[in-house]
Amino acid sequence: MLPIDEVVNLSRMQFAVTALYHFLFVPLTLGLSWILVIMEAVYVMTGSPIYKDMTRFWGKLFGINFAMGVATGITMEFQFGTNWSYYSHYVGDIFGAPLAIEGMAAFFLESTFVGLFFFGWDRLSKVQHFMVTVLVALGSSLSALWILIANGWMNNPVGAEFNFETMRMELVSMSDVIFNPVAQVKFVHTVAAGYVTASMFVLGISAFYLLRARDTAFALRSFAVAAGFGLAATLSVIVLGDESGYTAGEVNKVKLAAIEAEYETEPAPAGLTLFGLPNDKTEHTDYAVKIPYVLGLIGTRSIDTQVIGIRDLKKQNEVRIRNGMLAYAALVRLKSGDKSPAARAEFDKLKKDLGYGLLLKKYAPNVVDATSEQITSAVNDTIPKVAPMFWSFRGMVALGLLFLFIFSASFYFLIRKRLAPQRWLLRLALCSIPLPWIAAELGWIVAEYGRQPWTIAGILPTHLSASTLQVSNLYFSLFGFIGFYTFLLVVEMTLMVKYARRGPSSLHTGNYHWEQAEQLASQANPLSMPTPSPAR
Amino acid sequence: MSLDYETLKIIWWAFVGVLIIGFALTDGFDFGVGMMLPFVGKTDGERRVIINTIGPVWEGNQTWFITAGGATFAAWPLVYATAFSGFYIALMILLFSLFLRPVGFDYRSKVADPRWRNAWDWGLFVGGFVPPLICGVAFGNLLLGVPFHYDDSMRVEYTGSFFALLNPFGLLSGLLSVAMLLTHGATYLQVKTEGAIGQRVRHIAMAGALASLVLFVLGGLWVALGMDGYRIISMPDANSAFMPLAKTVSINAGAWMDNYARWPLTKLIPVVAIAALLLTIVLSAASKARLAFISSGVAVAGIILTAATSIFPFILPSSLDPRSSLTIWDAVSSQKTLTIMFWLVLFFLPIIILYTSWVYRVMRGKVTLKDIADNEHTAY
């Protein structure tokens, strides 16, 4: 029995909620771990204690964030089994491997050494502790690599074939899966986005101390590390934008067309729509402002390859769905016991379109007897709604350009030693702290919403992937996640704000603003009791 | 070297077993410590001592669980899909209780308010008590069989409910799991603490080991005398690729004892488990902390292995449609995936064990009240 629509929709909602929540914490871990490496490297090389304080203070904030990353991450490892059991069976032979490797080769490294990062300061030599920090950073970036190899495969499922005996996809080439161009581009883009997020976080909080003119030596050095690292990261995020990956794989072509609201195929190289109001009904983008040639150049990295428009993609998909019906019929024949060479050859010839046939399951359970209206519905399903894709993408790009401006300006005024008077820039940096998170979440919406109606592009439709669960179970888990995560997020933010406000004084070295202020106060009035510091 | 499919299937049973036992041995004492926290720690200082015995290492320990999940997905996709969607509510409760640990450990000491700290202590208690209980209940239900079946597209349908898992044998297994990890946590604290805490946990270890012993023997008698087991009647060549529905399975009284009759040496496994529990009592009484810890570890491994040996080659028997039962022969990934993952495990597992041991070595020694006072602002 297939899961009912409500179960599929609730499962999708739950995956979206848990993944977006998890990704509130991942980018900061990815980036801040390397910022800690940079700071500690300077400490090891120069022996200057302020860099040790920087590593420890930003490390404290790293820890507050890391705990939530771990808490929300556990869910992700098990959720494919709980809510997407048919998916897990159908592609587990390929998809499970990168998740298992992530555990063994990356997450183990990260989580074993993160304890020593916090507790090993007095038990390790300087260089040993520095190596521990490097391993934590390496572990977290490697972790992203394996997860994005898994995710890249969902978008461009290479190196695998359907086996009718076991009714699932099976691995043909592990190296194709690992060196999947979509996965590689996604990895670089995603970790670089994490580096931007962490840089903006450090930049903004340091700007806050500079605006208040306290702990300036500490803040200025932190600001400098963030500005340099952030500038490099922003440049790579923009240059290595993952739109270039969208030419690989059939379904990514749909994404590209939807992002650009290109309903009609244009002669190459296509123009880039800067602004417009996409209208799915009329299949036309109203009030479009276009820059000639640019889309073709970015999207295809050539001047003579076409970016195919939505109308033509639909025509192609209809052909594939009709082929898919034949593939399904051939599969049924094989499953009913006719395993003659002719039956096998027939299926082998058609099986690349089997997934398109499965799109019809939603409308016609037997697939082979679908009417032409049902086929039209399935064809329409193959194109995601254009407006959310169009706007999410533009939001992400606009934010990326803003980050480039902030980091460039910060870097410029820093090396000209004229940062302090630029209070507008410091305020802008402070207010921009949440923006990289918004950009990252928009990026995931483009990538994952844009993959619909598939979980595995061209292979397995979303509505078949879900577990056959009871609706009440899903309400229990969905509200459980939302309630738990929101509660924990509020706690996390409260602590984060508390420690960020307190700044390096929270290290209790006695060298920073609040503690010195308290000391001065008690010297001025020897009868007063020492004020207990608010953060311990 | 290329391994044949049948050998790989057996090796992967062993690998998953190693990961699960690795999880129980390492994160197991974290759970045990969590359960005891509000009871054994009488003051905030004592509670911080207890928390900091596992603070630097618990995160790596939990990774055994994450990796066991990933490895099950990679090697036994049908088990991953069927068990987790079938035990849906139980797994959700498990996840929710696990959320409390990372945040509890890190956030507790960051606010001085006693109400805040007390609340997190109970959170850590839940994070220590609920997961072993649920894992044990799930394990017990594996022996009983679980109601699910597949259609011919291999879509699983599960007809049980959460409350059906809470049957007497399931609950007994759950309690056994709690008792054995409580014991393991208590022997760990004997090694890592001193003074009053060390004294209190000695008694807990002795009581826990005794309870584990009673529950284990009771459970064993139940399985041997009062429970139906599963037996494969026929199946395709173990060296070939096939799906669960291709075999036939019967349900017989006492079938879970088959393996002990076939391979008499396996009888040693429950014997070792029982001996190790007795030794844990003796060694705790004699204040031989390290040996008691090793002994409780052997007991944990022995208890898990006893259950695994009884149901071998089954992983997830189906009470609804016995031929849908998942076994190590038919719930597995392709030979190619098993081969590649085999080499990767062989490469990474020793490295993981090596650096984990190094971390434990760096963090060796007892945690004392003085340590907490000296590191008031950095300790958990």
Side-chain angles (χ1 to χ4, degrees):
Chain A
M1 194 183 74
L2 290 181
I4 57 171
D5 280 355
E6 192 177 5
V7 167
V8 177
N9 291 337
L10 286 168
S11 292
R12 282 182 63 189
M13 177 119 55
Q14 181 168 306
F15 199 93
V17 165
T18 51
L20 291 175
Y21 256 106
H22 182 49
F23 214 73
L24 289 177
F25 312 104
V26 173
L28 192 56
T29 300
L30 281 173
L32 204 47
S33 57
W34 287 113
I35 290 180
L36 296 176
V37 166
I38 296 170
M39 290 170 172
E40 197 171 349
V42 180
Y43 168 60
V44 170
M45 285 187 292
T46 64
S48 160
I50 194 165
Y51 281 95
K52 183 179 182 187
D53 291 349
M54 281 159 65
T55 314
R56 296 192 74 153
F57 171 68
W58 296 107
K60 247 183 210 294
L61 302 191
F62 172 83
I64 295 171
N65 173 72
F66 189 80
M68 283 298 286
V70 172
T72 54
I74 308 170
T75 309
M76 306 312 294
E77 188 83 16
F78 295 92
Q79 197 167 205
F80 296 99
T82 54
N83 291 74
W84 304 95
S85 60
Y86 197 63
Y87 170 100
S88 303
H89 154 68
Y90 206 82
V91 298
D93 195 57
I94 306 108
F95 189 84
L99 293 199
I101 300 172
E102 188 264 346
M104 289 191 299
F107 192 52
F108 245 120
L109 201 64
E110 184 184 5
S111 49
T112 305
F113 285 107
V114 79
L116 274 196
F117 173 81
F118 292 110
F119 294 93
W121 285 103
D122 302 330
R123 291 174 181 249
L124 297 169
S125 71
K126 263 190 202 173
V127 174
Q128 275 178 330
H129 191 279
F130 172 66
M131 288 313 297
V132 163
T133 313
V134 171
L135 289 172
V136 171
L138 198 65
S140 76
S141 285
L142 280 177
S143 177
L145 173 66
W146 289 104
I147 297 304
L148 291 165
I149 285 174
N151 181 265
W153 190 78
M154 295 168 78
N155 286 285
N156 183 32
V158 289
E161 276 215 11
F162 183 76
N163 178 347
F164 73 89
E165 304 266 11
T166 51
M167 279 301 286
R168 67 183 180 194
M169 298 297 291
E170 291 186 353
L171 185 66
V172 175
S173 163
M174 189 68 171
S175 60
D176 283 0
V177 173
I178 293 174
F179 298 107
N180 182 352
V182 174
Q184 299 300 319
V185 173
K186 260 177 181 295
F187 168 65
V188 178
H189 186 69
T190 309
V191 294
Y195 303 164
V196 171
T197 308
S199 303
M200 191 63 83
F201 178 80
V202 175
L203 194 80
I205 295 175
S206 306
F208 171 70
Y209 305 143
L210 292 173
L211 283 167
R212 296 285 171 96
R214 61 183 207 224
D215 299 327
T216 39
F218 181 96
L220 214 56
R221 283 171 177 79
S222 302
F223 191 94
V225 171
F229 190 61
L231 184 59
T234 312
L235 284 172
S236 42
V237 130
I238 293 173
V239 175
L240 305 167
D242 73 345
E243 201 178 29
S244 57
Y246 288 173
T247 48
E250 294 302 312
V251 171
N252 280 330
K253 289 182 182 153
V254 176
K255 264 189 216 173
L256 186 58
I259 287 169
E260 295 306 341
E262 197 181 57
Y263 292 103
E264 206 72 62
T265 308
E266 274 186 62
L272 181 86
T273 310
L274 201 59
F275 176 84
L277 296 175
N279 186 332
D280 284 348
K281 282 220 179 65
T282 59
E283 300 202 330
H284 186 266
T285 306
D286 304 328
Y287 313 109
V289 179
K290 285 205 160 203
I291 314 175
Y293 306 136
V294 174
L295 170 61
L297 291 174
I298 300 175
T300 68
R301 299 277 150 112
S302 83
I303 50 166
D304 53 3
T305 315
Q306 281 184 343
V307 176
I308 304 170
I310 288 171
R311 259 182 240 174
D312 287 331
L313 287 166
K314 278 191 181 174
K315 280 183 206 145
Q316 293 176 7
N317 290 344
E318 179 170 348
V319 173
R320 298 198 68 176
I321 289 175
R322 289 185 184 275
N323 272 336
M325 293 166 69
L326 300 176
Y328 192 83
L331 176 64
V332 171
R333 189 173 149 200
L334 282 171
K335 295 297 282 181
S336 66
D338 177 4
K339 292 182 184 167
S340 63
R344 279 169 194 261
E346 169 77 2
F347 179 65
D348 282 341
K349 195 178 79 194
L350 294 163
K351 72 175 174 190
K352 67 172 192 338
D353 290 326
L354 178 65
Y356 283 84
L358 295 178
L359 284 174
L360 286 165
K361 275 243 170 199
K362 193 170 162 186
Y363 302 105
N366 295 325
V367 179
V368 288
D369 52 9
T371 62
S372 43
E373 289 84 58
Q374 288 171 327
I375 293 174
T376 308
S377 305
V379 170
N380 288 333
D381 286 349
T382 60
I383 309 294
K385 283 199 188 69
V386 170
M389 297 288 288
F390 183 87
W391 288 114
S392 299
F393 187 78
R394 272 153 194 74
M396 179 178 77
V397 171
L399 288 170
L401 295 173
L402 174 68
F403 303 152
L404 183 62
F405 170 73
I406 294 174
F407 286 117
S408 309
S410 302
F411 198 72
Y412 172 80
F413 287 116
L414 197 70
I415 52 172
R416 298 294 301 273
K417 300 197 187 302
R418 279 170 41 207
L419 186 63
Q422 318 300 326
R423 296 184 71 82
W424 62 274
L425 179 60
L426 298 176
R427 279 197 202 101
L428 181 63
L430 177 61
C431 297
S432 298
I433 291 176
L435 299 183
W437 273 275
I438 295 173
E441 302 279 335
L442 288 175
W444 278 115
I445 290 169
V446 170
E448 303 304 289
Y449 180 74
R451 197 191 53 238
Q452 297 306 322
W454 306 101
T455 45
I456 303 295
I459 303 280
L460 186 66
T462 307
H463 67 268
L464 289 184
S465 309
S467 306
T468 308
L469 292 167
Q470 281 159 5
V471 175
S472 57
N473 287 355
L474 274 155
Y475 277 112
F476 170 77
S477 58
L478 180 59
F479 285 109
F481 281 120
I482 293 175
F484 250 102
Y485 282 179
T486 306
F487 165 71
L488 293 176
L489 180 68
V490 170
V491 172
E492 193 249 15
M493 297 275 281
T494 312
L495 286 176
M496 200 63 114
V497 169
K498 173 181 161 176
Y499 275 83
R501 279 174 173 276
R502 179 98 188 143
S505 307
S506 60
L507 296 173
H508 297 271
T509 56
N511 297 329
Y512 294 100
H513 177 81
W514 292 111
E515 290 187 297
Q516 290 183 338
E518 281 155 14
Q519 251 174 0
L520 282 177
S522 62
Q523 277 164 10
N525 182 2
L527 291 178
S528 77
M529 295 289 286
T531 337
S533 47
R536 280 173 189 278
Chain B
M1 189 178 85
S2 91
L3 292 158
D4 66 63
Y5 203 8
E6 184 177 0
T7 313
L8 276 167
K9 289 176 182 179
I10 296 171
I11 288 174
W12 268 98
W13 176 78
F15 276 172
V16 175
V18 166
L19 289 172
I20 290 175
I21 290 175
F23 165 55
L25 288 181
T26 58
D27 214 16
F29 63 70
D30 300 330
F31 289 131
V33 169
M35 288 179 223
M36 283 181 277
L37 175 67
F39 307 104
V40 174
K42 306 287 183 198
T43 62
D44 182 57
E46 286 187 357
R47 289 187 181 180
R48 290 187 76 176
V49 167
I50 294 171
I51 290 170
N52 279 280
T53 60
I54 53 175
V57 294
W58 81 271
E59 203 124 37
N61 296 344
Q62 180 175 267
T63 311
W64 288 93
F65 181 58
I66 309 285
T67 305
T72 308
F73 198 174
W76 293 344
L78 270 176
V79 175
Y80 176 86
T82 308
F84 296 161
S85 63
F87 296 158
Y88 189 82
I89 295 292
L91 203 91
M92 290 300 149
I93 297 174
L94 173 70
L95 291 177
F96 295 158
S97 55
L98 285 176
F99 295 162
L100 294 169
R101 295 201 307 162
V103 282
F105 286 125
D106 199 81
Y107 297 173
R108 182 192 182 279
S109 62
K110 291 198 157 58
V111 174
D113 187 334
R115 283 169 305 176
W116 167 272
R117 293 193 171 181
N118 200 39
W120 282 117
D121 290 339
W122 285 101
L124 289 170
F125 166 78
V126 171
F129 178 75
V130 173
L133 182 68
I134 289 181
C135 292
V137 168
F139 237 102
N141 277 280
L142 296 192
L143 277 91
L144 292 167
V146 185
F148 66 92
H149 70 100
Y150 298 98
D151 68 11
D152 55 1
S153 70
M154 292 310 293
R155 174 176 294 279
V156 65
E157 194 151 356
Y158 181 87
T159 57
S161 71
F162 171 65
F163 292 104
L165 296 176
L166 306 177
N167 53 64
F169 185 76
L171 289 172
L172 182 135
S173 309
L175 289 179
L176 171 58
S177 165
V178 167
M180 77 181 187
L181 296 184
L182 177 69
T183 311
H184 196 43
T187 56
Y188 178 78
L189 280 185
Q190 287 181 49
V191 177
K192 295 293 283 185
T193 60
E194 54 177 25
I197 303 175
Q199 286 307 316
R200 283 175 220 143
V201 293
R202 269 179 57 224
H203 295 116
I204 294 179
M206 289 154 67
L210 187 64
S212 306
L213 187 67
V214 172
L215 291 164
F216 182 59
V217 171
L218 215 61
L221 291 174
W222 195 327
V223 172
L225 306 174
M227 188 184 289
D228 290 345
Y230 292 68
R231 198 175 278 160
I232 298 178
I233 301 299
S234 71
M235 66 171 202
D237 180 10
N239 210 6
S240 67
F242 61 94
M243 284 283 113
L245 299 179
K247 67 179 178 306
T248 51
V249 169
S250 72
I251 299 181
N252 304 85
W256 286 148
M257 293 291 120
D258 287 1
N259 290 329
Y260 299 104
R262 193 177 313 150
W263 298 291
L265 273 181
T266 55
K267 286 178 188 154
L268 282 176
I269 300 171
V271 172
V272 168
I274 290 171
L277 287 171
L278 288 170
L279 264 178
T280 306
I281 300 174
V282 175
L283 292 165
S284 298
S287 296
K288 301 273 183 213
R290 274 169 190 284
L291 290 173
F293 177 64
I294 292 171
S295 168
S296 67
V298 172
V300 167
I303 291 169
I304 295 171
L305 266 178
T306 303
T309 307
S310 302
I311 65 169
F312 179 92
F314 286 88
I315 304 165
L316 197 60
S318 167
S319 56
L320 185 69
D321 174 30
R323 71 191 181 120
S324 284
S325 297
L326 298 179
T327 69
I328 69 160
W329 310 119
D330 52 20
V332 293
S333 284
S334 65
Q335 186 168 5
K336 182 160 204 140
T337 299
L338 290 190
T339 308
I340 293 171
M341 294 306 294
F342 165 76
W343 290 111
L344 287 170
V345 172
L346 222 56
F347 177 75
F348 280 112
L349 201 60
I351 299 179
I352 291 168
I353 292 174
L354 213 67
Y355 63 63
T356 302
S357 318
W358 182 71
V359 169
Y360 274 87
R361 233 181 74 81
V362 171
M363 297 310 304
R364 70 185 176 275
K366 291 184 189 288
V367 179
T368 62
L369 284 165
K370 184 175 174 300
D371 292 335
I372 300 298
D374 291 348
N375 300 292
E376 212 202 313
H377 303 294
T378 51
Y380 277 159

